[in-house]
Structures are given as C-alpha cells and as structure tokens.
Amino acid sequence: MTVRETADLLDVSEMTVCRLVHSGEFPAVRVGRGFRIPTRVVHDYLASSETTSRGTSPPL
C-alpha cells in the first residue's frame, strides 16, 4: 500500500504514516521516492490497536 492509501485507511495524515515508517513501527519498502507498506502490516496494526482500545475504558 502507498503512504496515501495507508493514511486513508487509518484516517491519519500522510506525515503520521511516514513517521511510523521512519520509527520502524511500520516496516516498508522504498520504491523510488516513496514507500510501500505491506497490507498485512497495516491490518495487524489496526487489529492490535482495536484490541488495546477495547481493553481500556475511562474511569467513572
């Protein structure tokens, strides 16, 4: 997936996706001047963030 496709799917900015790539949280392949992020990586990230957000609830 391109950075733009990933950003759209995650509903974040392209800069946020680039930061995730540069921090190593998203392994990516450089193609020309851009990056390609494996679809599996994005879906695994979404699954782990859903699990984490469901497990925490705000105090009453």
Side-chain angles (χ1 to χ4, degrees), residues 1 7-8 13 18 20-25 29-31 33-35 42 44-45 50-51 53 55-58:
M1 299 177 72
D8 289 343
S13 71
C18 287
L20 290 167
V21 168
H22 287 290
S23 73
E25 194 161 345
V29 176
R30 189 162 192 101
V31 177
R33 293 177 54 193
F35 290 99
V42 178
D44 289 348
Y45 182 82
E50 287 174 3
T51 303
S53 66
T56 59
S57 59

Side-chain angles (χ1 to χ4, degrees), residues 3-14:
V3 169
R4 178 173 290 169
E5 291 169 339
T6 303
D8 289 343
L9 182 65
L10 298 176
D11 196 27
V12 297
S13 71
E14 291 179 38

